[in-house]
Amino acid sequence: MDEQDWKTFKQKLKSRTEIDLDLYKEPQMKRRIGNLVSRSEFDSFSGYFDHVAKDKDDFAAFIEYLTINVSEFFRTPDKFSKLETDVIPDLMKRSPKLNIWSAGCSIGAEPYSLAMILKEMTPNTKHRILASDLDIEILAKAKRGVYQDNEIKSMSPERIAKYFDKTPDGKYAVKDEIKRYIEFKRHNLLKDPFEKGFDLILCRNVVIYFTEAAKDELYAHFFEALKPGGILFVGATEAILNFRRLGYTSYQPFFYQRPLE
């Protein structure tokens, strides 16, 4: 697995999926993918790619591994509590109907969690939640909104009973009253144009392997996508150390605000 092999692999991946690994931290991604290639008993990146590209399910599993789709409902509950008690009430003083973006929504746990909060806080208001991800297969799972026990384990029994229907095979399906809040869309954060006019953007546990330059560009795009006074919510290991240079103010730890004009 030499440099030319890695370069060929990156070209094939970008051509097939629009994922540009040059925007990711090379040592970490090379090690992560290299471990997968070795476990699969291939001796080259490009040979492994050619193999998995022949089968739709194998390729979908590879892309899911590559894009690190790990999520759960109400992930980091203390931060979701801040959303309920501080962030959303403050935002609603300016925007009674919120426009929210869950960027890198994975299996849908984050946007559905948001919808549940909004349903409880403002039962008669129709807010908008855009949920996007690069992985088409994961988006399809999110749209279905059907989950297993381990995927909802952090939720209270009261919320599970209120917002899910039990399926015949023992899974949990999100009720339509919650699904109606969400608009799902495929979106490549490192390539596609951004909508504007968001009150709140959540991008959590997505940028772990992005280069610092790619992160800065992404956070600058988020800044432009927010309304004045809008807030960006990032993951618990993703503090933006240069937030001032990017134009943000610190609202609370891991919440960054575009200043009011």
Side-chain angles (χ1 to χ4, degrees), residues 20 51-52 70-71 109 136 171 198 208 231 238 251:
D20 185 356
H51 173 74
V52 296
V70 177
S71 186
I136 294 174
K171 296 178 182 178
F198 290 103
I208 181 172
I231 289 175
E238 297 168 339
Y251 179 86

Side-chain angles (χ1 to χ4, degrees), residues 218-250:
L218 176 64
Y219 292 142
H221 287 321
F222 282 147
F223 185 89
E224 294 300 322
L226 286 166
K227 294 178 183 177
I231 289 175
L232 171 64
F233 177 21
V234 302
T237 62
E238 297 168 339
I240 307 174
L241 301 180
N242 61 340
F243 67 89
R244 290 185 184 87
R245 183 170 64 79
L246 295 169
Y248 294 94
T249 58
S250 177

Side-chain angles (χ1 to χ4, degrees), residues 67-97:
T67 52
I68 321 164
N69 284 298
V70 177
S71 186
E72 61 183 87
F73 284 80
F74 297 92
R75 187 171 184 172
T76 56
D78 60 319
K79 296 295 182 284
F80 266 93
S81 178
K82 291 295 184 184
L83 277 178
E84 290 188 72
T85 58
D86 299 343
V87 178
I88 290 174
D90 279 358
L91 291 173
M92 289 185 62
K93 291 173 184 176
R94 292 185 298 274
S95 303
K97 291 186 178 181

Side-chain angles (χ1 to χ4, degrees), residues 195-215:
E195 288 187 31
K196 296 185 185 299
F198 290 103
D199 298 286
L200 174 65
I201 297 175
L202 298 89
C203 185
R204 307 167 68 226
N205 311 295
V206 173
V207 305
I208 181 172
Y209 291 131
F210 288 10
T211 64
E212 293 306 311
K215 288 180 189 177

Side-chain angles (χ1 to χ4, degrees), residues 109-260:
E110 180 176 272
Y112 287 134
S113 297
L114 276 168
M116 293 171 194
I117 288 173
L118 292 171
K119 177 76 172 172
E120 292 168 4
M121 294 180 68
T122 55
N124 298 316
T125 302
K126 181 66 168 67
H127 303 279
R128 181 205 182 207
I129 302 173
L130 172 65
S132 71
D133 203 275
L134 176 64
D135 188 335
I136 294 174
E137 297 295 329
I138 286 296
L139 269 181
K141 174 180 172 62
K143 287 178 184 178
R144 288 193 297 273
V146 178
Y147 301 94
Q148 302 186 51
D149 285 328
N150 65 306
E151 292 172 316
I152 61 169
K153 64 182 185 297
S154 61
M155 291 187 64
S156 69
E158 292 77 18
R159 274 181 167 152
I160 293 173
K162 189 174 183 179
Y163 297 121
F164 292 85
D165 291 319
K166 198 77 173 287
T167 65
D169 58 354
K171 296 178 182 178
Y172 295 84
V174 177
K175 290 186 177 181
D176 286 343
E177 65 184 276
I178 295 301
K179 293 178 80 171
R180 279 194 287 267
Y181 277 82
I182 318 296
E183 173 189 330
F184 288 102
K185 175 184 177 182
R186 184 182 186 272
H187 185 270
N188 185 337
L189 288 169
L190 298 176
K191 178 178 177 291
D192 295 332
F194 287 23
E195 288 187 31
K196 296 185 185 299
F198 290 103
D199 298 286
L200 174 65
I201 297 175
L202 298 89
C203 185
R204 307 167 68 226
N205 311 295
V206 173
V207 305
I208 181 172
Y209 291 131
F210 288 10
T211 64
E212 293 306 311
K215 288 180 189 177
D216 283 354
E217 186 174 353
L218 176 64
Y219 292 142
H221 287 321
F222 282 147
F223 185 89
E224 294 300 322
L226 286 166
K227 294 178 183 177
I231 289 175
L232 171 64
F233 177 21
V234 302
T237 62
E238 297 168 339
I240 307 174
L241 301 180
N242 61 340
F243 67 89
R244 290 185 184 87
R245 183 170 64 79
L246 295 169
Y248 294 94
T249 58
S250 177
Y251 179 86
Q252 288 187 15
F254 308 105
F255 292 91
Y256 300 91
Q257 189 166 32
R258 176 172 175 170
L260 286 165

